[in-house]
Amino acid sequence: MTESIASLGSQLAKLHQRVDNAEIFQSLYHRVGELTEQVPIQKKTSYAPPADDRIFIRQALPVIEAQIKAQHPLDQDQMQSLIYHLASVSRSARERSRQAINDLLADQLIDPTETAGWTDYLLQDEILYAHVLEPKNQAVFLRSSAVSMLRSLLMADRYGYFFLTDEDLQKIIDKIALLVLLEKDTRGFVGRQGWAHMFYELPSLFNELTERNELLRGDHIFMMTVLLERYRRLKTPLEMGEQNEVADYLARLMKRHRLYQDYFLMELRDWRQWLDQQENVVNEGDWHLFFNYQRLMNALLITKDLPLKVASEIYKKEI
């Protein structure tokens, strides 16, 4: 982890703790927004994805898939190869590895100690934040896969594996929130390499966390705030379904308690004022600030179970 990422992570975690302790509330989105604007850009460096994708796809992967179908557990080398190929730039190698891991979890072919080890591996800085401060690069596929698999592991824990502690959940929230703060790659489907889709996977993981009754309301306010403050500052388009996943997450969260509705509306009004203050809108990136906002508002209005007071506020201002 670079010094800048470590510093931002420390400051963000402190804000999380303070909102959990009810020390701050209304100022949270301003403070998170200030951190978001401090995210630096680094020069692009080389990324070394797995180099054996063709051999893996032709030889190892069919054997693994057949064993899972036959309900036979995998050995350690086979499991490690699946995790390793989450970093592949080959769509087939990466997506079939993800599916195999999901099948292993669904069929309960691994034990809780292994799922705990996988979680620790995916939460490593070298995995979760790989090349995140650099211009668009192939490491986005690793970051996206890591987030997707962490969501699967959260679901597995909730449905019966029971390997995550309260401390683990707090660690996951802080680590993913920092990734949201740092992430700027809005690409959806990338040519022959397949889905990057970071801003689909991130709200999808937060959506899973809305099912956790053991989390504090401050945890949920914190996650929603980080996502919205990063979203509002994105200067590249979200146009491959990401806004629908963000809207689904927001609607599901706001349905749980009026507090989330009130906080969202407070942040939304500030967002509008912030957009009104944008001057010299002369380039493509500036215009994406407005159109990403508009896409999200439209997505919220057609989302099932959006609270009436939120829908009324959006409709009044946007339609």
Side-chain angles (χ1 to χ4, degrees):
M1 181 187 289
T2 66
E3 184 177 344
S4 57
I5 291 179
S7 175
L8 288 169
S10 175
Q11 294 178 73
L12 194 62
K14 288 177 181 177
L15 290 178
H16 180 194
Q17 189 62 53
R18 292 188 68 190
V19 74
D20 272 359
N21 293 339
E23 296 173 10
I24 57 173
F25 183 69
Q26 291 186 343
S27 67
L28 178 64
Y29 63 84
H30 285 301
R31 296 169 187 264
V32 171
E34 290 172 356
L35 289 182
T36 306
E37 293 177 353
Q38 294 174 26
V39 174
I41 299 175
Q42 295 181 347
K43 292 182 179 180
K44 191 171 184 178
T45 58
S46 61
Y47 172 65
D52 63 343
D53 286 337
R54 291 186 179 181
I55 295 175
F56 175 68
I57 292 170
R58 292 176 181 175
Q59 299 179 13
L61 198 49
V63 174
I64 289 172
E65 292 169 336
Q67 284 185 224
I68 295 173
K69 186 176 181 179
Q71 299 286 293
H72 293 321
L74 305 183
D75 62 35
Q76 287 300 313
D77 287 342
Q78 289 174 313
M79 290 186 180
Q80 288 301 318
S81 68
L82 290 176
I83 293 291
Y84 175 64
H85 285 90
L86 293 176
S88 293
V89 295
S90 162
R91 179 187 177 189
S92 179
R94 186 175 68 254
E95 293 186 357
R96 287 169 67 183
S97 293
R98 285 163 62 163
Q99 185 59 55
I101 293 171
N102 284 329
D103 290 342
L104 286 168
L105 292 169
D107 295 339
Q108 297 186 328
L109 293 176
I110 55 178
D111 62 53
T113 58
E114 290 173 317
T115 56
W118 287 4
T119 303
D120 289 340
Y121 174 81
L122 294 169
L123 286 173
Q124 291 182 100
D125 297 337
E126 296 77 11
I127 303 297
L128 209 54
Y129 309 134
H131 299 259
V132 71
L133 297 181
E134 302 173 17
K136 294 177 182 178
N137 58 79
Q138 293 179 328
V140 68
F141 298 109
L142 171 58
R143 300 196 302 272
S144 178
S145 291
V147 174
S148 177
M149 289 297 95
L150 284 167
R151 177 181 179 272
S152 294
L153 289 162
L154 283 164
M155 290 182 65
D157 177 75
R158 186 164 58 87
Y159 280 111
Y161 276 85
F162 306 133
F163 64 95
L164 292 173
T165 65
D166 289 344
E167 291 75 16
D168 291 332
L169 289 175
Q170 293 301 311
K171 179 180 179 181
I172 290 170
I173 291 172
D174 282 335
K175 297 279 284 189
I176 296 299
L178 178 56
L179 178 57
V180 173
L181 191 83
L182 301 173
E183 188 62 67
K184 295 179 183 178
D185 196 329
T186 62
R187 288 178 294 173
F189 195 84
V190 185
R192 298 177 65 181
Q193 296 171 333
W195 291 102
H197 235 192
M198 283 302 301
F199 284 93
Y200 180 95
E201 298 295 352
L202 289 165
S204 182
L205 186 148
F206 281 173
N207 213 345
E208 168 59 27
L209 285 169
T210 63
E211 302 296 328
R212 295 280 178 163
N213 293 325
E214 63 267 42
L215 294 182
L216 300 174
R217 289 174 184 167
D219 295 324
H220 293 298
I221 291 290
F222 173 72
M223 288 185 281
M224 176 172 65
T225 300
V226 174
L227 181 60
L228 288 175
E229 291 305 306
R230 166 44 70 203
Y231 185 105
R232 78 152 90 175
R233 290 169 173 81
L234 291 170
K235 288 197 169 187
T236 48
L238 291 168
E239 53 190 5
M240 290 194 177
E242 299 89 351
Q243 68 279 355
N244 297 325
E245 191 66 17
V246 174
D248 185 65
Y249 157 64
L250 293 172
R252 182 176 296 189
L253 177 62
M254 288 189 283
K255 186 180 177 183
R256 292 176 66 91
H257 198 277
R258 183 170 179 171
L259 175 68
Y260 306 129
Q261 301 173 33
D262 292 341
Y263 192 91
F264 173 77
L265 289 175
M266 180 174 63
E267 191 167 1
L268 178 63
R269 289 164 188 145
D270 182 82
W271 190 351
R272 286 177 181 148
Q273 292 176 3
W274 181 80
L275 285 173
D276 289 341
Q277 294 168 2
Q278 299 302 308
E279 299 179 352
N280 300 319
V281 181
V282 295
N283 59 49
E284 183 178 342
D286 294 335
W287 282 110
H288 286 313
L289 296 174
F290 293 89
F291 283 102
N292 283 338
Y293 167 84
Q294 188 176 74
R295 289 188 190 100
L296 180 57
M297 295 305 107
N298 291 339
L300 280 166
L301 285 174
I302 63 172
T303 299
K304 182 181 178 181
D305 297 328
L306 182 69
L308 181 60
K309 65 182 293 185
V310 177
S312 297
E313 174 74 15
I314 296 173
Y315 189 85
K316 179 176 65 177
K317 296 293 184 179
E318 307 302 330
I319 302 300

